[in-house]
Amino acid sequence: ISYVLFPKSVASYTKNNVSVKLINKALLIVGILALIVVLFYFFLPKLAIIIFYGKDYLELINVLGLYGLVMMMLSLAYLLMFYNLALNRKKFIYLLLFFLIIETILIYIYHTSIMQIVLILLVLMFIMFISLLWYTYNAKTVDNNSSIQ
């Protein structure tokens, strides 16, 4: 979806016709698809692990659903990153760098279990997604200094 979103967003940006409809639709589609996978991970974790990873990883049943949420937040954030790049907005990269540093520090300090690491990632990805969402809907475009419509 991000590979379709990027050129369409660039095209609307070059025509000075930036609209949130495109990103809203992309977020909805990716959100629904990711939610289906996350629900599968939560309700049938053993089956999901056997299908996707193999029996050797069955000990990860208790973290699979939460890890799915982490990947869902990352997928949605990824869309927002592509969209902002398409609109020639780059200041969000500082935000990503900030979260990368915090993530590295927290995992360095708290890494006694895979659950602890997944919980750190979940909280940070959620906050990063919300931050990128705020940035996307409130940032000014580079050329005309107007917000998206």
Side-chain angles (χ1 to χ4, degrees):
I1 302 228
S2 61
Y3 294 116
V4 174
L5 174 71
F6 190 79
K8 287 187 176 237
S9 299
V10 169
S12 69
Y13 175 73
T14 56
K15 293 177 186 173
N16 207 17
N17 186 22
V18 178
S19 173
V20 294
K21 290 177 187 175
L22 194 56
I23 189 63
N24 288 345
K25 186 185 282 188
L27 287 170
L28 182 65
I29 292 168
V30 170
I32 289 170
L33 292 173
L35 187 59
I36 291 168
V37 173
V38 168
L39 291 173
F40 178 62
Y41 280 0
F42 270 112
F43 292 113
L44 299 167
K46 185 175 182 179
L47 179 62
I49 287 176
I50 290 170
I51 290 171
F52 297 121
Y53 309 107
K55 293 181 180 180
D56 295 339
Y57 296 95
L58 284 174
E59 63 194 43
L60 299 175
I61 284 177
N62 62 334
V63 297
L64 187 61
L66 293 175
Y67 184 71
L69 284 173
V70 170
M71 291 298 105
M72 179 179 172
M73 292 294 114
L74 183 60
S75 298
L76 293 170
Y78 186 74
L79 275 177
L80 294 172
M81 289 180 237
F82 261 85
Y83 182 72
N84 283 300
L85 284 173
L87 299 183
N88 204 21
R89 298 180 189 153
K90 298 176 187 134
K91 290 183 181 178
F92 73 92
I93 293 171
Y94 298 114
L95 184 67
L96 299 179
L97 182 61
F98 169 76
F99 280 100
L100 175 64
I101 292 167
I102 297 299
E103 179 182 321
T104 304
I105 292 168
L106 287 176
I107 291 175
Y108 179 78
I109 295 170
Y110 305 104
H111 59 273
T112 57
S113 72
I114 192 74
M115 178 62 88
Q116 202 173 37
I117 293 169
V118 168
L119 288 173
I120 289 168
L121 291 173
L122 180 59
V123 170
L124 288 177
M125 287 300 144
F126 178 75
I127 296 169
M128 184 179 78
F129 169 66
I130 297 300
S131 301
L132 280 169
L133 202 59
W134 180 87
Y135 175 83
T136 300
Y137 289 101
N138 292 296
K140 306 289 183 188
T141 55
V142 173
D143 288 342
N144 60 10
N145 285 333
S146 62
S147 18
I148 58 177
Q149 302 169 15

